[in-house]
Amino acid sequence: MSIETNTPERLELELAIPRFILWFVMLPVLPITLIGLANLIGGEILTALVLLVGLNGAFLAGYIALSERTRLRLDAGSGLVSIIRTSRLGTRQRDYPLEALDSAELDRSHTSREDRSTSKVVLVFRNTRPATRVPLSRWGVSGDGPGQVANDINAWLRRHFGGEQTAPASQPSS
């Protein structure tokens, strides 16, 4: 996570898995490709196809899924919440009204061991019943990163909406 802009008018942040993790995902591709080519040269067509197409395809699909970056923009000027997802397959953008954004929450999922859990940040919009929940990423992570993202979003919302609600509505009389 990195905060690009944090002003009273705009909060812009980006969520992405660190690049070195993506390189570790792709690390097995070279040996599998070499073994697959050796099997192809040796006449083992079926084994070569499984290695070259099957396993390398699975690693490539994992890389594409994990390489998705999400940019969140809360813009008071335009009154929009923009979620821009960029992956190797293209860019998608969804816009929501800022006044409908209630908060950011954590969606926790527990693994088989109860002491370990992963979290992902979910935006909660109150303009529908039941409330619309939009996850910022498809993957969850452990640690305090998602909690910090949710806290940053909620703090910006409190500053933005709190400042408007507490502003004096009347002018002093003369």
Side-chain angles (χ1 to χ4, degrees), residues 10-16 67-75 80-87 90-96 123 134-137:
R10 177 181 275 196
L11 175 67
E12 194 168 339
L13 54 92
E14 184 175 77
L15 299 158
S67 68
E68 181 177 87
R69 295 179 164 283
T70 301
R71 179 178 294 273
L72 172 68
R73 184 182 311 132
L74 306 178
D75 191 349
L80 290 176
V81 175
S82 299
I83 301 172
I84 304 144
R85 300 183 197 281
T86 306
S87 73
T91 301
R92 300 177 319 267
Q93 179 171 340
R94 300 271 320 255
D95 293 324
Y96 302 92
L123 298 180
V134 179
L136 287 183
S137 64

Side-chain angles (χ1 to χ4, degrees), residues 36-77:
L37 289 174
N39 281 313
L40 188 61
I41 292 169
E44 295 290 331
I45 304 295
L46 187 59
T47 304
L49 284 176
V50 167
L51 289 171
L52 292 173
V53 176
L55 287 177
N56 281 342
F59 281 111
L60 185 61
Y63 178 78
I64 289 171
L66 290 175
S67 68
E68 181 177 87
R69 295 179 164 283
T70 301
R71 179 178 294 273
L72 172 68
R73 184 182 311 132
L74 306 178
D75 191 349

Side-chain angles (χ1 to χ4, degrees), residues 3-158:
I3 294 180
E4 310 269 327
T5 307
N6 190 356
T7 65
E9 285 298 309
R10 177 181 275 196
L11 175 67
E12 194 168 339
L13 54 92
E14 184 175 77
L15 299 158
I17 290 182
R19 290 287 177 208
F20 75 90
I21 292 175
L22 295 174
W23 285 106
F24 281 120
V25 168
M26 294 305 290
L27 194 62
V29 169
L30 181 62
I32 289 172
T33 302
L34 293 175
I35 294 169
L37 289 174
N39 281 313
L40 188 61
I41 292 169
E44 295 290 331
I45 304 295
L46 187 59
T47 304
L49 284 176
V50 167
L51 289 171
L52 292 173
V53 176
L55 287 177
N56 281 342
F59 281 111
L60 185 61
Y63 178 78
I64 289 171
L66 290 175
S67 68
E68 181 177 87
R69 295 179 164 283
T70 301
R71 179 178 294 273
L72 172 68
R73 184 182 311 132
L74 306 178
D75 191 349
S78 66
L80 290 176
V81 175
S82 299
I83 301 172
I84 304 144
R85 300 183 197 281
T86 306
S87 73
R88 301 289 181 219
L89 302 176
T91 301
R92 300 177 319 267
Q93 179 171 340
R94 300 271 320 255
D95 293 324
Y96 302 92
L98 179 60
E99 69 271 357
L101 179 59
D102 188 42
S103 64
E105 296 178 351
L106 293 181
D107 181 16
R108 297 185 191 275
S109 60
H110 294 281
T111 58
S112 59
R113 292 178 47 199
E114 284 299 314
D115 61 335
R116 298 196 62 189
S117 67
T118 60
S119 304
K120 59 183 164 181
V121 179
V122 177
L123 298 180
V124 180
F125 293 91
R126 64 177 177 258
N127 61 343
T128 60
R129 290 196 186 257
T132 301
R133 288 177 158 61
V134 179
L136 287 183
S137 64
R138 291 189 290 181
W139 31 263
V141 295
S142 59
D144 61 350
Q148 184 62 41
V149 170
N151 288 340
D152 290 342
I153 294 168
N154 289 332
W156 189 88
L157 289 170
R158 277 192 303 276

